[in-house]
Structures are given as C-alpha cells and as structure tokens.
Amino acid sequence: MARTAVLGRLTWQSATLEGVRRETATARTLTLAVRGWQGHKPGQHVDVRLTAAGGYTAQRAYSIASAPTADTLELTVEATPGGEVSPFLAQMAEPGVALEVRGPLGGWFVWSPTEQQPVQLIGGGSGVVPLMSMLRTHRAVRHPSTMWLLYSARFPEAVLFSHELAAAGDPADGADRATLVYSRRSPAGDARQPHRIDARDVAAHVLAPEDAPRCYVCGPTPFVEAVIALLLLAGHDPELIRAERFGAGRT
Ligand SMILES: Cc1cc2nc3c(=O)[nH]c(=O)nc-3n(C[C@H](O)[C@H](O)[C@H](O)COP(=O)(O)OP(=O)(O)OC[C@H]3O[C@@H](n4cnc5c(N)ncnc54)[C@H](O)[C@@H]3O)c2cc1C
C-alpha cells in the first residue's frame, strides 16, 4: 500500500458540514465535504475533531453511513445525553461548520462486494450505522449474495434510516432483508413483546449456521457481547463473527 495513502488516513483533514438530515428526534445524518477524500470501505469509520474558540479540542469516532458508491460522505450521529461531542453534531451543528476528520479507519470490520458468502448484520441502536453502509453498498451494486440485517432499536421512533429499511426487499425478490425488533416498546399490533435480542430472535431472524454467514455485530458493548454469546450458542463459527463496540450505551 502506498505510504502516502496511509499517511493521508492518519492526517487530520479539514472538512465542512454541507448538510444535515434529521433521522429521529435525537439523531441526524451529516453530509461532509472533505477535500481530497480518498474513499472508504463499507464498515469503516472516521475520527471527528472539534476545536472550540479557546483551542480546546475533542475527538470521537463515527462510522461512515454512506456507501462508497455514493457521491457524498455521510455520518449518522445519535445524541448521547450529557455527552460532550454527539449533542453538538446530532442537534446543533449547522451547515457551513468547519471540523476535522481523520480516516477512513478500521480494516477488520469491513465488507467488500468481492466477497460471495452470505452476510448477517446485527445492530443495536446507532450500531446500525456501519451496517447501513454495507447494506447500501450491497444494494447499489445489486450484489447476488444474501445479506440480512437484524436491527434492535429501543422503540419505533428511535429507528434510524426507517424509510430506507422499510424498502428492504422481499428475500424472494432480492438478496437483502431487514428485520426490526424493539427492546423497550414495540409498535402497536406487534406480536413480539419488547425485549433485548434473545435466542428466539436469533433462530427466527438470523441466517442459519449451516449457511456459514459472515456475521457483523455492532452497537453498545453490552449489546455486542450478548449477541456474540447468542450466535455462539446457536452454533455460528467464531471465525466468521466480526464485531465493533461503540462503548457504554443504552439498549
Ligand atoms: C468505532 C466507533 C464508531 C462509532 N460510530 C458511531 C456512530 O456512527 N454514531 C454514533 O452516534 N456514535 C458512534 N460511536 C460512539 C461515539 O464515538 C461517541 O462515543 C458517542 O457519540 C458519545 O460521545 P459524546 O462525546 O457525546 O459523549 P461523552 O462525553 O464521551 O460521554 C458522556 C457520557 O455518556 C456515556 N456514554 C458514552 N457513549 C455512550 C453511548 N453510546 N450511550 C450512552 N452513554 C454513553 C459516557 O460513559 C459518559 O458518561 C462510535 C464509536 C466507535 C468506537
């Protein structure tokens, strides 16, 4: 790999917030313009650095939500109550704001359209963001392999990318499918009582171990640990499980 490409990823680059799109009451998608952006792989993230007037800086990691095939670079940020950085990005920052990004980062939690094996995505809360990049890429290139998403949100109003996910195809019709489950409150009429993902959900909504799917699990650390344990219990090969932990968190 060219040394300049590596240096480019590790160097802070100036970025401008070009646009914002509300996803939920507490989350927004941010479109960034980064001069000289080299592109990314689905699943990668960037570090974002903010600098206050007095020179104080704060940086946090945010996954890339957009597909590399898209024209824009998008992040989707959920406001953490009392957080230092996320409430600014998710609720306050206006187009034109200058910030810095470093990346793309992460070489393990990535999916490439050159891979042919079935894929199971499992996300909790904002952990769906890097999985969305994978799903969008899968759709954009009309990938023939199966890609399923199981997404746990706290309640219906907390669902990110709801319109796009609702458009997920019938598996008989295409190769991707999105299933939403709720941990705190389900929509009216939903037969499933709200609860955290359990073994029954895995049996019902996750590709079978016999299909040998590559599994990508992302969300708050307790969510990721619980889901990995369920996948192993169901007989999935640990070698095929990749995980990204966002830290503490609410589910
Ligand atoms: C690789 C990676 C990718 C990430 N991608 C995304 C993404 O795409 N979208 C996104 O919204 N976030 C993402 N995160 C989380 C993000 O980096 C920040 O941790 C999050 O936005 C909180 O930052 P903050 O400055 O607002 O809160 P902080 O000031 O860091 O934390 C404030 C308080 O909230 C607690 N806390 C920290 N994180 C959480 C949480 N998730 N839920 C509840 N409480 C918390 C802390 O323990 C602390 O007590 C990612 C994290 C990693 C490691």
Side-chain angles (χ1 to χ4, degrees):
M1 181 179 296
R3 189 164 172 270
T4 44
V6 175
L7 285 177
R9 288 206 311 271
L10 299 178
T11 306
W12 289 104
Q13 294 168 270
S14 302
T16 307
L17 180 58
E18 276 199 325
V20 294
R21 191 169 68 244
R22 182 150 293 290
E23 296 285 346
T24 68
T26 54
R28 293 193 310 184
T29 290
L30 313 175
T31 304
L32 300 183
V34 186
R35 206 178 313 128
W37 181 250
Q38 301 281 324
H40 71 281
K41 296 176 187 158
Q44 287 188 302
H45 64 276
V46 291
D47 286 338
V48 174
R49 182 162 75 178
L50 305 177
T51 304
Y56 172 77
T57 62
Q59 69 184 65
R60 298 289 184 274
Y62 290 102
S63 300
I64 300 171
S66 45
T69 47
D71 297 334
T72 53
L73 176 66
E74 295 185 345
L75 311 179
T76 300
V77 181
E78 170 89 46
T80 296
E84 196 173 31
V85 170
S86 62
F88 175 74
L89 295 176
Q91 292 170 322
M92 296 160 71
E94 296 293 343
V97 158
L99 29 83
E100 292 170 287
V101 301
R102 183 169 64 180
L105 302 169
W108 173 247
F109 195 80
V110 293
W111 175 74
S112 163
T114 59
E115 293 173 29
Q116 299 302 322
Q117 74 190 106
V119 174
Q120 178 67 55
L121 312 172
I122 308 180
S126 54
V128 73
V129 175
L131 310 182
M132 198 62 196
S133 179
M134 297 180 192
L135 195 66
R136 284 170 164 161
T137 307
H138 188 268
R139 287 181 186 177
V141 303
R142 297 179 180 275
H143 202 281
S145 74
T146 304
M147 181 177 276
W148 283 10
L149 167 67
L150 174 60
Y151 171 19
S152 175
R154 279 171 291 144
F155 38 79
E157 298 80 10
V159 174
L160 302 173
F161 319 115
S162 52
H163 294 297
E164 235 176 303
L165 290 176
D170 180 331
D173 188 32
D176 70 69
R177 164 173 136 172
T179 304
L180 267 76
V181 293
Y182 302 90
S183 59
R184 301 249 185 108
R185 177 169 49 79
S186 303
D190 190 338
R192 181 186 179 276
Q193 291 300 310
H195 58 78
R196 293 179 177 189
I197 287 178
D198 63 12
R200 279 171 304 165
D201 295 317
V202 170
H205 306 303
V206 170
L207 287 163
E210 296 73 40
D211 296 333
R214 166 81 61 77
C215 298
Y216 293 87
V217 185
C218 185
T221 303
F223 171 90
V224 170
E225 301 304 336
V227 169
I228 290 175
L230 288 167
L231 290 174
L232 295 177
L233 200 65
H236 287 267
D237 181 351
E239 296 283 323
L240 295 179
I241 302 174
R242 297 188 180 188
E244 183 109 282
R245 295 162 180 80
F246 278 8
R250 304 164 290 160
T251 51

